Amino acid sequence: MRIETHGLSATAGGRTILADVTLAIEPGAFTGLIGPNGAGKTSLLRLLAGLAEPAAGRVTYDGRSAAQVGRRALARGIAYLPQSGPVHWPLRAEALVMLGRLPHRGPLGGIAAADRAAVERALSTADTAHLRGRTVGTLSGGERMRVLLARALATEAPVLLADEPVAALDPGHQLACMALLRDAARRGSGVVAVLHDLTLAARFCDRLILLANGSLLAEGPPSRVLTDENLCAAYGIAIHRGEAGGEPFLLPWHALPSPTCLPETP
Amino acid sequence: MTAAATWESRIPYPALIAGLTLLALALCAVSAAVGYVPFDLGAALSDWLAGRPTLGALVLAELRLPRALLGLLVGFSLGLTGAAMQGWLRNPLAEPGLVGVSSAAALGAVIVFYSGLSAALSLALPLGGMAGAAAAAVLLNLMAARGAGTTALVIGGIAINSLAGSLTALALNLAPNPYAALEIVFWLMGSLADRGTDQLWLVLPPMLAGWALCLSGARALDALTLGEDAARSLGFDLAGLRVRLIAGAALAVGSAVSVTGAVGFVGLVAPHLMRPLAGARPGRLLLLAGLAGACLTLAADIAVRLLPTRPELKLGVVTALIGAPFLIALIARLRREEA
């Protein structure tokens, strides 16, 4: 599924949180959504998922509006993983992952063999098969995040929108999670993840979207987005760069005094 | 692994449902056999089935069976609605009357009492109660239609609760004589005594409709475990769910309160009791909590008649007396298991 936005704006409490964002989410690409706190990343992701109404502009799914696609079809088409998602009852991990199959089940239909198979695939892909019998309250923050990721994967939707999927993970599982999301894109899914780690974004993503103050500052391949000027303008930081095994790494080095952060060309 | 997880894997869901249904029916039979008058249940049953209008057959058909069946229906309504409210608000403190329907139903019944209509028509009391619950549900849905969120609706429910409670107190305050006030207070305590087949047939259709509305939200309640955004992204219409649950609570609990008065704690305790057996899944909890509520209510109503106190203890008094310490013990045990 190809998601497009046209002149998308959003407001909250009278304040503009997104202004005139036009972009496209392509199938088969891993897109990183980056930008400082409060830039509008989560708002954009929720609009892409059809969870919020834009103040202006529109979102289309293969050219159709959310209403035309229909609630259930949209739920089968887009898996949404909220930021540090709540889990309100002490479900076992396996039952939690099975919730991802709800869009595929009829109003009275039971759990089918296909649902069980999808849950098994999701559990093993997210490295959570050994946690299946544990109740959510007994999991560590990172284990919980991986189980929630497995829940989103279990939907096996053509689009996966993940809000900070690696925030709670240790370095090993961060790398594994980024590889997993990239593999999902290689198999044809459209994957969008909100990220804060610029090196992970540079190494694993096919495309980056850089938001600052609710506006689209830059988009394209990581090398074109992660320029010194863009990072200075968005985050107000200077970057230390390096290379390892032919891949770049970027370390936030020091904050820049605010006047130098103004973009030189509008 | 916690005890909860072990139980869940040991007892399959259909076996749980079957076991609880059998228990509820057995308690119904015991309830029909227990009473103040010496009574041969077997003889009364065969007389009744054969259509012989003996005293035993009449007592069974007109008093014992309606009382037992009403206990079943009221208990099931309270347990089911309690589980639905807890799942909807994702709050283990929620109870069936949270959105104001029980106190509004009680107020409706009290107004009928007060106006003297209940003396003229035996069904006036439950009808008044149902009208009160319906008014509360309409008010809440109007608030929802004006864009109130879940928290605002709960606060609206609390406001309705306290308004209905104070209007009930006002009615007591202005009661023409102490006897009338006493009658209202006794009725409010909740009881299944001396209810007849009329009441049974009156509440059955709205209760069934209320159950269906609550049960239709099972999948959405499961999805709400992940929060509102995730539930919506899984394709559930939360505004529709809200309307269904408020209407379901008004129909099921409103009619329960309008025939029995307030029977406390059943709707709060039953979901807690069954949650470990449901693997904490809110959708799966609904039927289990309903059946557990039926068993609890029937057991309490049997206890009321076996206790030697005269006058008979009110059902609502007994459920609250047993329910409150029980809930504290249950919470303490769950804490230990989680630790």
Side-chain angles (χ1 to χ4, degrees), chain A residues 70-261:
Chain A
R71 197 170 16 238
R72 283 183 60 81
L74 197 63
R76 285 191 291 268
I78 300 178
Y80 174 73
L81 179 64
Q83 183 180 359
S84 63
V87 179
H88 292 285
W89 303 108
L91 263 66
R92 291 198 292 164
E94 195 174 10
L96 192 72
V97 174
M98 188 60 87
L99 294 178
R101 298 303 295 171
L102 283 171
H104 295 276
R105 292 166 57 188
L108 292 171
I111 296 167
D115 296 321
R116 294 196 188 284
V119 167
E120 286 310 314
R121 280 192 293 274
L123 280 169
S124 71
T125 309
D127 188 22
T128 48
H130 60 293
L131 304 173
R132 70 171 73 225
R134 301 259 301 269
T135 52
V136 179
T138 68
L139 301 176
S140 78
E143 288 171 334
R144 190 165 162 282
M145 195 63 223
R146 275 150 52 206
V147 169
L148 288 170
L149 174 66
R151 191 284 298 170
L153 292 174
T155 307
E156 301 196 331
V159 174
L160 172 62
L161 306 177
D163 201 347
E164 300 202 23
V166 300
L169 305 186
D170 62 62
H173 279 108
Q174 284 192 354
L175 291 170
C177 179
M178 292 299 287
L180 177 171
L181 295 174
R182 185 176 57 187
D183 290 348
R186 292 291 166 275
R187 286 194 303 271
S189 299
V191 180
V192 182
V194 173
L195 299 167
H196 277 303
D197 187 311
L198 298 175
T199 301
L200 290 179
R203 286 185 59 201
F204 287 91
C205 293
D206 304 308
R207 268 175 82 239
L208 292 179
I209 296 169
L210 175 57
L211 288 180
N213 285 324
S215 300
L216 189 62
L217 193 66
E219 68 157 328
S223 58
R224 277 209 282 128
V225 172
L226 297 173
T227 61
D228 285 344
E229 295 75 27
N230 284 341
L231 293 172
C232 173
Y235 296 96
I237 54 168
I239 287 288
H240 180 72
R241 290 170 192 275
E243 204 185 271
E247 290 186 280
F249 65 80
L250 296 83
L251 295 173
W253 207 246
H254 59 81
L256 293 171
S258 50
T260 56
C261 291

Side-chain angles (χ1 to χ4, degrees), chain B residues 48-261:
Chain B
W48 180 51
L49 291 177
R52 283 189 293 273
T54 60
L55 179 64
L58 279 175
V59 168
L60 181 69
E62 297 300 324
L63 292 172
R64 298 288 178 87
L65 266 185
R67 180 170 189 165
L69 290 175
L70 267 178
L72 185 83
L73 297 179
V74 167
F76 190 91
S77 297
L78 293 172
L80 172 68
T81 319
M85 288 294 132
Q86 292 186 5
W88 177 42
L89 300 167
R90 288 148 279 151
N91 190 327
L93 296 174
E95 51 103 23
L98 185 85
V99 288
V101 289
S102 347
S103 5
L107 175 65
V110 166
I111 289 173
V112 169
F113 234 130
Y114 199 77
S115 65
L117 273 174
S118 59
L121 173 68
S122 70
L123 288 182
L125 200 62
L127 284 172
M130 288 156 126
V138 167
L139 198 62
L140 275 170
N141 273 322
L142 281 178
M143 286 171 57
R146 292 177 70 101
T150 305
T151 315
L153 281 185
V154 172
I155 294 171
I158 292 171
I160 294 176
N161 262 324
S162 102
L163 180 67
S166 52
L167 287 175
T168 304
L170 181 70
L172 287 172
N173 199 169
L174 298 177
N177 60 60
Y179 182 74
L182 199 64
E183 203 180 353
I184 294 175
V185 169
F186 264 57
W187 186 85
L188 283 174
M189 285 177 184
S191 168
L192 285 167
D194 307 326
R195 269 50 170 187
T197 32
D198 292 359
Q199 273 112 327
L200 186 64
W201 291 122
L202 179 70
V203 296
L204 189 62
M207 275 188 181
L208 289 177
W211 298 355
L213 283 170
C214 288
L215 288 169
S216 75
R219 292 275 170 83
L221 292 178
D222 275 345
L224 268 175
T225 300
L226 298 166
E228 296 197 355
D229 264 2
R232 289 175 57 212
S233 79
L234 287 167
F236 293 97
D237 168 20
L238 296 186
L241 177 72
R242 190 167 58 193
V243 172
R244 288 209 301 271
L245 290 183
I246 291 176
L251 287 166
V253 182
S255 33
V257 171
S258 53
V259 286
T260 60

Side-chain angles (χ1 to χ4, degrees), chain A residues 15-42:
Chain A
R15 210 173 63 85
T16 302
I17 45 178
L18 274 181
D20 196 23
V21 174
T22 298
L23 48 80
I25 304 299
E26 308 285 348
F30 181 11
T31 305
L33 186 49
I34 59 172
N37 297 141
K41 303 184 293 296
T42 296

